[in-house]
Amino acid sequence: MRFLETLFRHKLVAILPILLCLLVAAGYQVAQPKSYTSTGSLYIDATVPGNSPTNTANQYVDPSTLQESAIQELLTTRSFAIAVGDKGPLAAYLASHPRASSTGLAAVPLLSNLFSSSKGSVDDQVANNLPSMVTLVTAGPQVVNITVAAPSPSVAAGTAQAVIDEYTSQTTAALTSTDQVAVQYYDQQLSQAEATLQQAQQQLTAYLVAHPTVPSTGVGNATATELSQAVTLDTSSYQNVLSEYQSAELSLANVASQTGFQVLDAPTASASPVSSSKKLLGTGLAGLVVGLLVSVLLITGLTVTDRTSRRAEDIRRALGLEVAATIGRFPPSAAGTLRGNQL
């Protein structure tokens, strides 16, 4: 009851914090820079080893989810972010627009120096801002959408393309390194298999020369038969290793087509900025909640500190005295009627 009485006596104190918080919230949102987005799509080839959901380790994971996780991990690394910034227009744009990456409180003119994230080198700004600029969404089991939000349409499209290009480059480099190791390994195995085969052939030839009566097939001679079988086994081993070596060489030569994905939709620049209606509504609701909370706290404080006695129980509590009688409050119209009757 006392809270409501205080509320009605101090209406301005209750309304003013709400209005101020709403104005601050609106000003905060208006001060935020415009944002433009650009989206590129990757198609994930499920037939490439490592992308297939039937893979033992990933049989319950979609190929697009695997690629999304890989890109997300790379975005958190400084080297990948800097490479994307240099390959696209982001680094050059930040260098020529020092406050372009300022958002939140840093975008408010009077608070920009306190909360600005543009301090440090351009590489630092790129590494700090790129992960929050890129959004990855799987649009199905084999499609990943890469969306970049930036202060200008060209920077958004160029950065999205740079993310795709750098991811392709690093994936190709990793596959090339793996295939090179495989080629080197099978090259050594092939040399050993060739040496073993030549040795077996030389032993068989030497034995046949020393025993001219023994047929070349070794039939009828245990030693010749054993040497002939050894040549057959070594030949088979050599052919198997040669096949693996040729397969590794072929994979290395075609590494560009083994990345496991291809660009489905290239990023394009959009002339229209992202609508801020939802953000403005959300910020306004936040300002309203904060304003209401401040108003409640102020009215509660005034209620607690108010020592005015307005009812009989207030006098008894404050002075310890009993109230002999109370006089009700008459409305002005009733008071005028009473005076007229007395006359």
Side-chain angles (χ1 to χ4, degrees):
M1 181 64 71
R2 288 177 61 84
F3 180 86
L4 294 178
E5 291 177 351
T6 306
L7 175 63
F8 284 108
R9 286 197 307 273
H10 301 282
K11 295 179 180 178
L12 185 61
V13 175
I15 296 175
L16 190 59
I18 298 177
L19 294 178
L20 288 176
C21 288
L22 286 175
L23 288 175
V24 170
Y28 168 86
Q29 188 58 47
V30 170
Q32 302 305 307
K34 291 183 179 180
S35 178
Y36 299 83
T37 61
S38 180
T39 301
S41 300
L42 298 181
Y43 176 79
I44 315 304
D45 187 357
T47 62
V48 175
N51 283 342
S52 175
T54 58
N55 186 283
T56 304
N58 306 307
Q59 56 182 335
Y60 302 114
V61 182
D62 291 333
S64 59
T65 303
L66 294 177
Q67 292 290 351
E68 178 194 10
S69 300
I71 299 174
Q72 192 66 59
E73 289 179 2
L74 286 174
L75 284 171
T76 60
T77 62
R78 180 181 174 84
S79 60
F80 183 84
I82 293 175
V84 169
D86 293 338
K87 185 169 291 187
L90 182 59
Y93 185 85
L94 291 177
S96 58
H97 300 77
R99 298 190 182 279
S101 61
S102 297
T103 58
L105 293 176
V108 180
L110 297 178
L111 302 177
S112 59
N113 292 331
L114 295 176
F115 297 95
S116 177
S117 61
S118 61
K119 299 177 181 178
S121 65
V122 174
D123 287 347
D124 291 337
Q125 295 180 48
V126 171
N128 292 333
N129 294 313
L130 184 63
S132 61
M133 294 171 60
V134 181
T135 302
L136 302 174
V137 178
T138 57
Q142 292 180 255
V143 177
V144 177
N145 290 332
I146 302 175
T147 302
V148 174
S152 76
S154 59
V155 173
T159 302
Q161 187 62 55
V163 170
I164 295 174
D165 292 343
E166 183 59 23
Y167 180 60
T168 303
S169 176
Q170 293 207 12
T171 302
T172 302
L175 292 174
T176 299
S177 177
T178 301
D179 289 343
Q180 286 176 342
V181 171
V183 169
Q184 292 175 359
Y185 171 78
Y186 286 116
D187 183 51
Q188 295 176 357
Q189 295 295 313
L190 186 62
S191 297
Q192 295 178 3
E194 185 178 10
T196 302
L197 176 59
Q198 289 178 352
Q199 183 179 4
Q201 290 175 337
Q202 291 173 357
Q203 290 177 351
L204 177 60
T205 301
Y207 186 83
L208 292 177
V209 170
H211 303 81
T213 58
V214 177
S216 59
T217 58
V219 177
N221 186 288
T223 302
T225 300
E226 183 179 354
L227 292 174
S228 178
Q229 291 176 349
V231 169
T232 302
L233 291 175
D234 290 341
T235 301
S236 176
S237 177
Y238 174 80
Q239 292 296 332
N240 291 336
V241 175
L242 178 61
S243 176
E244 295 291 345
Y245 175 76
Q246 291 174 339
S247 176
E249 278 193 323
L250 182 62
S251 178
L252 179 60
N254 299 323
V255 68
S257 62
Q258 298 297 321
T259 57
F261 60 87
Q262 60 182 349
V263 178
L264 191 62
D265 293 320
T268 57
S270 174
S272 302
V274 178
S275 175
S276 59
S277 300
K278 292 184 179 180
K279 292 184 178 180
L280 183 60
L281 178 61
T283 306
L285 290 176
L288 179 62
V289 171
V290 173
L292 288 173
L293 180 60
V294 173
S295 295
V296 170
L297 292 176
L298 287 176
I299 297 301
T300 302
L302 291 173
T303 302
V304 172
T305 58
D306 186 9
R307 301 304 182 192
T308 304
S309 297
R310 295 181 176 83
R311 292 181 296 275
E313 55 268 22
D314 296 337
I315 296 176
R316 284 194 295 269
R317 184 172 59 254
L319 302 178
L321 300 176
E322 291 295 330
V323 178
T326 60
I327 300 175
R329 183 176 180 178
F330 292 96
S333 58
T337 302
L338 182 60
R339 285 196 300 269
N341 293 335
Q342 289 175 347
L343 292 175

